[in-house]
Amino acid sequence: MEHISVLLDEATDLLNIKQGGVYVDATLGRAGHSQKILNSLTNGKLFCFDLDTEAIKKSEILLNKISKNYLIFNENYKNLKACLAMQNVFKVDGVLYDLGVSSPQLDDQNRGFSYRFNSRIDMRMNQTQKLDGHYVVNNLSEQELTNIFFKYGEEKYAKSIAKNIVKKRLEKPIDTTFELVEIIKSSIPKREMIKKHPAKKVFQAIRIYVNDELSSLETSLEDALQILNVGGRVVVITFHSLEENIVKKIFKKYTIFKEDEIINKLPITIENNKQFKLVMKKPFTPNLTEQETNKRSRTAKLWAIERIKE
């Protein structure tokens, strides 16, 4: 399945791209957003990050058709600040994050991301790293698995699923995604299978843990805000509540201060020292047309923050 970038126009428009600006696509994927950013640059520069070497190869072909004003790092975006510094780039005009897993990763049955295909449990975005889903399922303790499923999947039957995984792997290793799906199905009430696929939360949890997604996001967002020029923006597309909570926490940290409530009640105008402002108070969501044509956009939310002073 071809990857369709969610909120493509809305996200790139929010960057307020300047032709000579410096921009970062922290989640290159198949270059949907990067192509649009690069098309808007004349003498500007685009820096991209992705852990997936296959995605990078495909994206280079697409970006080369536009211009050479880009550089791709095969790195985790948590290293964004350090990688840019090595290129003598210490300030940027915009950073874009399109979080989560891409359609090609989900639809490639050899990658072991999806419960729809029977393959070895993998789930690595960086195919060279040692830790994968197979190791997690077959080696972590019942308590560790319970914590992962609850923390990263918000799975209310985490304990039951973890218990049955540990019990089943005593007989033989749990090698494939379908084997894992069957264990999950046997661990939850049948009524829960009507609402959504019973393995969705557990697969999400394992993927997030294997790729250290939430910790990496928090580190990267903090660094991105620090290197923004005045007028520059960080734009983020989230797909589930765990990502949303990190974005809300960090954006709130930089835009809302306890003193505001007191200052707003005073009969005089006092200038505050905020360095950032929210571009919109509530996140933007895809319209019905996009949700119908691209099912993976249904949970998407678009957030943006702008630096207003040094």
Side-chain angles (χ1 to χ4, degrees), residues 25-40:
D25 185 346
T27 48
L28 174 65
R30 295 306 165 100
H33 293 104
S34 279
Q35 288 180 80
K36 186 150 191 193
I37 296 169
L38 198 58
N39 264 315
S40 302

Side-chain angles (χ1 to χ4, degrees), residues 218 250 299:
E218 194 158 356
I250 292 177
T299 59

Side-chain angles (χ1 to χ4, degrees), residues 64-106:
N64 283 337
K65 293 177 182 178
I66 302 170
S67 84
K68 301 290 186 180
N69 295 350
Y70 75 91
L71 179 64
I72 300 175
F73 295 100
N74 183 202
E75 290 275 355
N76 190 312
Y77 56 47
K78 70 181 178 183
N79 301 319
L80 176 151
K81 193 175 180 181
C83 290
L84 292 175
M86 287 192 290
Q87 298 295 317
N88 291 317
V89 175
F90 302 98
K91 287 288 184 180
V92 302
D93 298 295
V95 184
L96 174 67
Y97 296 84
D98 180 7
L99 302 174
V101 64
S102 68
S103 298
Q105 288 172 327
L106 281 172

